[in-house]
Amino acid sequence: MSSITNGAVVVAAPRAPAVRGRLSDLPIAGAKRVLLAAPRGYCAGVDRAVIAVEKALENYGAPVYVRKQIVHNVHVVSELERGGAIFVDDVAEVPEGAHVVFSAHGVSPAVVSAAAARGLQAIDATCPLVTKVHREATRFAKQDLDILLIGHVGHEEVEGTMGHAPERTTLVTSPDDVAGLEVRDPDNLVWISQTTLSVDETMETVRRLRERFPNLQDPPSDDICYATQNRQVAIKKVAPQADLVIVVGSANSSNSVRLVEVALEHGAKAAHRVDYASEIQQSWLDGVQTVGVTSGASVPEVLVREVLDDLADAGYRDIEEVKTAEEDLMFSLPKELRRDASGQTDSRALGGRTRT
């Protein structure tokens, strides 16, 4: 897989998937078990974005260009690349007139304009929940409010959101940033957030902001996406019972990294993030009776199953699913992709794939 930047992270080629029999079933005191968090894995926005690239390849043929990673998962990007997708950092790298897909994390108006100037046939796979935040930023700027955007420096979603109101938006990266903030008018502020943050840390940031700026306004609804919140709630229930938590997800996946942090904050004795089962180390399992397993919102279930297979080789065959919510939300595909190459309405147009 080609190396492309995604914010501050350069994504390298993925490792090989797990090889069975690599981990040993060593004796411990007590019975071994796995607590499998649910919900986990693909959310509706990720499913929509991945299908968008697959559909574009079906309808228009390879290559189809994608600005940045379509979602933050090295396996997904590698699979799409094998199918004919070409991932680029900038629309300037896309041949004039070609098809280009904007990633689930969204883009600024400047990127849209740059694509139009090159005559690119753009397909916007931005998650609708990210688009909601973009619209909030635009609306608040028109209302002459200054915007405090809670998020991570260099994340594509943050860059896209700031691009909708650049003169009005100040980035707040953590609760510790609040004390040093300088604002134009402390009585004319509203906060919004990146969709994939830790719920607890975001609320702590808001609490400190409100202490400094008592007239701070709230967005009309919570910006942190339902999937991010649901996965964090599930791992919070698993963590107190787990000697070890394994989170399947990539290093540049904000919501996956947050799951590791949430697990540790809520009682897990240890927690590690892996892209593939092959990264699980035998030493992590020393003396471990209960392993919690979850995955970030851009992770296909096949990668979780490989982790469970490896854990079964190590004796962790008793699997209990810990379910805290049901998810049935699906998003329509971008309008350009709701029909197949023959012009017929595609069966996936108004929803995603079956998530099994």
Side-chain angles (χ1 to χ4, degrees):
M1 185 177 74
S2 55
S3 292
I4 60 172
T5 60
N6 287 271
V9 179
V10 177
V11 182
R15 297 175 177 85
V19 176
R20 295 298 301 274
R22 190 179 57 84
L23 298 176
S24 300
D25 184 357
L26 301 178
I28 64 165
K32 296 180 178 181
R33 64 171 179 161
V34 173
L35 297 180
L36 182 60
R40 62 183 177 277
Y42 269 14
C43 65
V46 164
D47 204 26
R48 174 182 186 266
V50 175
I51 291 174
V53 178
E54 294 171 346
K55 280 281 297 162
L57 287 165
E58 290 173 13
N59 287 6
Y60 310 124
V64 166
Y65 293 83
V66 184
R67 183 187 179 273
K68 303 291 188 179
Q69 285 195 344
I70 186 65
V71 297
H72 285 168
N73 184 267
V74 294
H75 177 81
V76 171
V77 170
S78 180
E79 288 294 299
L80 291 172
E81 196 168 53
R82 278 196 282 271
I86 296 177
F87 293 86
V88 298
D89 272 325
D90 195 283
V91 293
E93 302 171 52
V94 181
E96 291 187 7
H99 288 90
V100 63
V101 181
F102 297 146
S103 82
H105 308 102
V107 297
S108 69
V111 172
V112 176
S113 296
R118 293 184 60 76
L120 303 182
Q121 300 182 62
I123 298 167
D124 188 359
T126 302
C127 173
L129 300 180
V130 175
T131 299
K132 164 185 166 290
V133 180
H134 289 178
R135 289 173 177 163
E136 288 175 351
T138 301
R139 183 172 70 254
F140 293 145
K142 287 180 178 178
Q143 294 170 355
D144 202 32
L145 290 166
D146 287 340
I147 301 163
L148 300 179
L149 171 59
I150 303 171
H152 296 139
V153 173
H155 194 282
E156 291 158 56
E157 183 185 328
V158 166
E159 292 176 347
T161 299
M162 293 189 76
H164 281 76
E167 304 302 321
R168 289 285 185 177
T169 307
T170 299
L171 182 62
V172 184
T173 62
S174 74
D176 294 336
D177 274 3
V178 174
L181 279 179
E182 295 182 7
V183 300
R184 184 184 59 160
D185 182 355
D187 295 322
N188 198 44
L189 295 173
V190 64
W191 70 272
I192 59 177
S193 78
Q194 181 181 330
T195 63
T196 55
L197 300 178
S198 161
V199 176
D200 295 338
E201 183 175 355
T202 300
M203 291 302 100
E204 174 60 17
T205 302
V206 172
R207 185 188 69 78
R208 294 196 196 183
L209 286 170
R210 201 173 302 287
E211 285 181 350
R212 269 205 73 190
F213 311 114
N215 292 326
L216 177 71
Q217 298 183 43
D218 296 322
S221 61
D222 191 353
D223 289 333
I224 297 177
C225 88
Y226 77 96
T228 296
Q229 295 187 55
N230 286 348
R231 281 147 190 73
Q232 290 177 17
V233 168
I235 204 60
K236 285 178 184 180
K237 188 168 183 179
V238 167
Q241 308 172 67
D243 303 304
L244 167 69
V245 166
I246 295 173
V247 176
V248 187
S250 291
N252 62 335
S253 167
S254 177
N255 73 89
S256 297
V257 173
R258 299 290 84 73
L259 286 171
V260 175
E261 296 171 353
V262 170
L264 292 170
E265 290 166 359
H266 288 267
K269 295 182 176 64
H272 298 280
R273 180 201 55 77
V274 300
D275 272 304
Y276 288 100
S278 57
E279 298 171 51
I280 299 172
Q281 299 178 27
Q282 184 74 53
S283 60
W284 296 354
L285 303 174
D286 289 350
V288 167
Q289 181 175 345
T290 300
V291 181
V293 175
T294 190
S295 59
S298 52
V299 177
E301 184 68 5
V302 63
L303 301 184
V304 176
R305 293 297 156 186
E306 289 179 354
V307 166
L308 296 178
D309 287 344
D310 259 27
L311 289 174
D313 290 341
Y316 299 88
R317 303 180 185 91
D318 180 9
I319 300 173
E320 176 187 344
E321 188 169 64
V322 179
K323 181 174 289 190
T324 56
E326 295 282 353
E327 292 181 351
D328 57 8
L329 181 65
M330 292 187 289
F331 295 131
S332 300
L333 291 178
K335 61 182 183 300
E336 300 88 350
L337 301 173
R338 293 176 191 168
R339 295 185 181 276
D340 60 25
S342 68
Q344 299 298 310
T345 300
D346 191 280
S347 61
R348 296 173 292 178
L350 299 179
R353 76 189 79 240
T354 302
R355 297 190 196 117
T356 56

